[in-house]
Amino acid sequence: MTSRLFHVAPGGRLTGRLHVPGDKSVSHRAIMFAALAEGTSRISGFLESADCLATLSAFEAMGVAHRIEDGARVIEGRGLHGLVAPDRALDLGNSGTSMRLLSGLMAGQAFDSTLTGDASLSRRPMQRVIDPLSRMGASIAAEEGGRAPLRISGGRRLSAIEYASPVASAQIKSCVLLAGLYAHGITRVHEPGISRDHTERMLRGFGVTVERQGPSVSVAGGQRLTASDVAVPADLSSAAFFLVGAAISPGSDLLLESVGINPTRRGVIDVLQAMGADLTLIDEREAAGEPVADIHVRGGALHGTHIDGDLVALAIDECPALFIAAACANGTTRVTGAEELRVKECDRLAVMAAGLKRLGVDCAETHDGIVIHGCGQRDDQRSAFTGGEIASHEDHRIAMAFAMAGLRAAEPIVIDDCDYVATSFPNFVELAGRAGLSIDVEEKSV
Ligand code: S3P
């Protein structure tokens, strides 16, 4: 077996125009809803990454035919009740979105199914979806502590529930709403804060009535999905690494094209602007129910800020990159209400704090966040980081965040376990190189 290491050369700046790959959250949902729809749907800009391909092969195993036509994924929908029993466990790799959303869908099927994942996914909490699904009448057996594999019994009659979710999580909300499509009555989810609303937007695009009242969203069971074409915007979560990379490196001047700027996701833009980044949105427009824009960012001085729980929720996947920006800023950045970061692909608070310290940054992890004392950005002192070796803990976003630190490092940064970058951003190294960040990839035998 081999494992990939990134060797990131120190210094540089990011320039030019980039189009990062399609949005991961939107790509997963596009496959799922197209598979459940009546008719043929065409998904352009689909993210061809390991996570989204895991969702696609799960539906393939349930009888969904698909093909590539002119670079788009074309899906032959089987209707709400048309999936067939898979002849194997559905292996969802590293993808939490696939497992949590699929558990809602599988709970409503006539057949039994088993959802499995890799070592990281098998450590992640699934009780948060098992609880509401059980209340709806689903039968799900899990490993100790509510971990995968999940064995979901089919043929259960689901009833609608009103569910007050203890966390603002689009994965929990979407899971319950998707089970709600198979339930008798109106299923309603209340959330303690805002979570991304791609499910609601896209279900409407497939002809389903989804209602929102303040912090609650509801769906009536039995509604049919009608095939629809989806144009997937570029992923703001992938763009975030380049936004931060350009913002922290003087002389950078970068344009990121057609990036999704959904208001429930755009925290990274607001935080960087609050830190004084020279970042502007150009030509704001709508594509397939999602707002998009080109984003222009230039390098310059940043200052510290407070990222509270509400902002964390709007930038949940972008926090690792934002912590790199904080380390380059003048003054202190405090992050609070960020406990959810501990249950992502790894404990992102602990792993980011350890990595930042390794690179000489003065920071301290707290129970619900982190405090980062930035080095400031003076023209005569470009480095904010020493060089060193970083453990990415098999987490794609940790690896890409620390790769961007290379732009302000004094010595090379070496990052382990970078195979996982392919879960969300398969051509990251190529795009980074094109923009001006040089990364050598070493294949190491393990
Ligand atoms: C996602 C929701 C978020 C996010 C994940 C993708 C989604 O998770 O971290 O990468 O597509 O619904 P939570 O909803 O659990 O916060």
Side-chain angles (χ1 to χ4, degrees):
M1 250 184 49
T2 62
S3 169
R4 299 184 128 201
L5 293 170
F6 282 179
H7 292 260
V8 187
R13 62 200 170 98
L14 300 180
T15 57
R17 295 173 85 93
L18 290 184
H19 196 110
V20 301
D23 189 286
K24 183 153 76 73
S25 294
V26 174
S27 295
H28 281 301
R29 288 159 173 82
I31 295 293
M32 293 179 189
F33 301 169
L36 297 177
E38 288 164 23
T40 306
S41 301
R42 190 186 166 80
I43 307 166
S44 56
F46 175 71
L47 173 61
E48 301 279 342
S49 77
D51 275 13
C52 298
L53 292 174
T55 292
L56 184 61
S57 36
F59 282 94
E60 188 180 81
M62 293 188 284
V64 175
H66 60 90
R67 58 186 183 275
I68 297 182
E69 244 175 50
D70 299 330
R73 286 277 174 181
V74 177
I75 310 289
E76 300 293 347
R78 297 186 63 98
L80 201 55
H81 298 284
L83 298 177
V84 297
D87 61 3
R88 54 183 184 267
L90 302 174
D91 181 357
L92 304 169
N94 192 248
S95 178
T97 306
S98 311
M99 186 165 284
R100 297 210 178 96
L101 271 58
L102 267 171
S103 54
L105 285 177
M106 292 301 104
Q109 303 305 316
F111 51 83
D112 297 346
S113 54
T114 301
L115 307 184
T116 65
D118 67 8
S120 154
L121 187 54
S122 306
R123 283 192 297 268
R124 295 183 66 186
M126 294 299 149
Q127 200 60 43
R128 48 178 59 197
V129 291
I130 296 173
D131 284 342
L133 292 174
S134 304
R135 280 188 46 200
M136 295 177 86
S139 164
I140 304 177
E143 297 300 303
E144 207 183 314
R147 315 279 152 177
L150 304 182
R151 292 182 182 79
I152 305 178
S153 305
R156 310 281 296 193
R157 206 178 130 79
L158 301 186
S159 323
I161 53 165
E162 296 242 347
Y163 187 61
S165 178
V167 259
S169 157
Q171 294 184 353
I172 300 174
K173 171 180 65 181
S174 304
C175 165
V176 176
L177 292 177
L178 293 178
L181 289 175
Y182 292 91
H184 186 69
I186 295 180
T187 296
R188 182 169 284 114
V189 182
H190 311 267
E191 288 198 286
I194 295 171
S195 69
R196 64 191 65 193
D197 66 358
H198 302 300
T199 295
E200 298 91 301
R201 285 172 185 261
M202 202 187 293
L203 278 178
R204 290 190 190 109
F206 279 80
V208 173
T209 302
V210 183
E211 289 189 10
R212 172 163 283 284
Q213 286 115 4
S216 316
V217 53
S218 61
V219 70
Q223 298 188 67
R224 287 144 68 131
L225 285 76
T226 310
S228 175
D229 291 347
V230 180
V232 181
D235 197 331
L236 178 58
S237 301
S238 297
F241 302 106
F242 288 94
L243 297 179
V244 165
I248 63 173
S249 49
S252 288
D253 189 334
L254 192 66
L255 188 84
L256 291 151
E257 296 170 340
S258 297
V259 183
I261 53 160
N262 181 311
T264 60
R265 283 278 294 280
R266 56 168 280 158
V268 63
I269 294 171
D270 299 330
V271 173
L272 283 174
Q273 285 178 333
M275 295 176 84
D278 181 354
L279 183 156
T280 44
L281 300 183
I282 300 167
D283 189 15
E284 291 187 44
R285 54 206 186 265
E286 186 138 321
E290 291 282 347
V292 297
D294 301 328
I295 309 181
H296 184 206
V297 57
R298 282 193 284 232
L302 301 177
H303 51 80
T305 189
H306 177 204
I307 309 177
D308 66 12
D310 289 342
L311 258 177
V312 167
L314 301 178
I316 189 73
D317 291 341
E318 293 70 61
C319 283
L322 285 171
F323 297 174
I324 298 296
C328 299
N330 286 303
T332 299
T333 294
R334 282 173 212 286
V335 183
T336 54
E339 304 89 335
E340 272 295 296
L341 291 180
R342 296 200 186 278
V343 291
K344 293 298 175 188
E345 284 81 334
C346 70
D347 177 344
R348 287 183 175 159
L349 288 177
V351 169
M352 283 304 297
L356 288 171
K357 284 183 188 157
R358 188 90 202 220
L359 298 183
V361 177
D362 180 6
C363 67
E365 188 187 340
T366 64
H367 73 285
D368 71 338
I370 188 169
V371 179
I372 300 168
H373 302 288
C375 74
Q377 190 160 26
R378 300 195 305 271
D379 282 346
D380 59 341
Q381 192 217 319
R382 285 178 55 93
S383 49
F385 306 97
T386 61
E389 289 175 13
I390 294 293
S392 77
H393 291 260
E394 305 182 342
D395 184 329
H396 54 140
R397 300 201 199 280
I398 300 288
M400 291 186 275
F402 279 111
M404 287 298 157
L407 290 158
R408 293 287 307 281
E411 301 285 334
I413 296 177
V414 182
I415 309 166
D416 74 2
D417 284 342
C418 291
D419 317 62
Y420 290 83
V421 167
T423 61
S424 68
F425 200 159
N427 61 345
F428 172 73
V429 171
E430 184 208 326
L431 289 193
R434 212 189 291 162
L437 173 68
S438 163
I439 304 174
D440 275 342
V441 180
E442 181 193 347
E443 302 279 351
K444 198 177 141 188
S445 307
V446 285

